[in-house]
């Protein structure tokens, strides 16, 4: 588990940095990014600068953009939940629909343009290429 967590954390940080610079991305949330609002507290909580394997990001074109990415990824698999050795991409607005009141979703950052990526053990360059082609 420790080897898996380290690999996923390092890949997630690299993917978060990649997405942050991508022209089709509006916002990236990952506590490993130095300018993330959770970075200072996460740095105190997590050892070895390993911040986990989940990256949240907003795509341009709202719901249509998010759905397009979900349909176009090849290596990364669209899924209803997170947490595996393979990279999984979720659309939180759907999974939250029955659990969270509509008026609370936006306050929690669950909007139609948000996707959540659980980074697996695949080669990070392959994952970045997959995201890039899906975002184009």
């Amino acid at each position: 588990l420790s080897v898996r967590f380290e690999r996923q954390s390092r890949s997630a940080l690299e993917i978060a940095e990649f997405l942050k610079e991508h022209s089709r991305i509006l916002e990236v949330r990952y506590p490993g990014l130095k300018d993330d609002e959770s970075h200072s507290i996460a740095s105190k909580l997590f050892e070895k600068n390993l911040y986990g394997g989940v990256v949240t990001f907003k795509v341009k074109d709202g719901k249509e953009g998010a759905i397009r990415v979900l349909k176009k990824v090849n290596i990364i698999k669209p899924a209803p939940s997170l947490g595996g050795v393979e990279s999984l991409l979720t659309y939180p607005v759907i999974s939250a629909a029955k659990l969270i009141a509509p008026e609370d979703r936006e306050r929690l950052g669950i909007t139609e343009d948000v996707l959540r990526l659980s980074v697996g053990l695949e080669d990070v360059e392959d994952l970045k290429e997959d995201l890039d082609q899906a975002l184009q």
Side-chain angles (χ1 to χ4, degrees):
L1 182 60
S2 63
V3 172
R4 175 180 161 190
F5 184 75
E6 183 173 337
R7 169 84 178 260
Q8 288 174 307
S9 295
R10 296 200 190 290
S11 293
L13 177 59
E14 193 170 328
I15 288 169
E17 290 169 341
F18 164 77
L19 289 171
K20 194 171 172 172
E21 300 301 319
H22 201 284
S23 64
R24 304 292 304 155
I25 299 297
L26 296 172
E27 178 185 349
V28 177
R29 296 291 316 273
Y30 183 71
L33 294 172
K34 295 194 186 318
D35 62 348
D36 188 271
E37 65 184 36
S38 302
H39 182 74
S40 64
I41 193 163
S43 294
K44 295 173 188 171
L45 296 173
F46 292 101
E47 296 180 14
K48 302 179 188 176
N49 295 322
L50 300 175
Y51 300 95
V54 177
V55 179
T56 302
F57 58 100
K58 286 186 177 186
V59 297
K60 288 187 177 176
D61 301 327
K63 180 179 181 178
E64 293 80 21
I67 297 295
R68 184 172 52 248
V69 172
L70 282 165
K71 288 180 176 180
K72 290 180 71 177
V73 287
N74 294 310
I75 296 170
I76 299 164
K77 303 296 179 217
S81 64
L82 304 173
V85 294
E86 66 281 339
S87 294
L88 302 171
L89 191 61
T90 66
Y91 190 45
V93 75
I94 290 176
S95 54
K98 293 183 180 179
L99 302 172
I100 302 171
E103 61 272 13
D104 292 331
R105 288 185 210 141
E106 189 165 341
R107 179 180 57 79
L108 294 170
I110 303 171
T111 56
E112 291 185 336
D113 56 354
V114 170
L115 294 171
R116 195 162 284 143
L117 172 65
S118 176
V119 178
L121 300 179
E122 302 91 350
D123 182 80
V124 71
E125 292 302 320
D126 290 342
L127 295 175
K128 290 188 320 189
E129 287 176 18
D130 193 23
L131 285 165
D132 189 42
Q133 67 81 28
L135 287 161
Q136 298 304 322

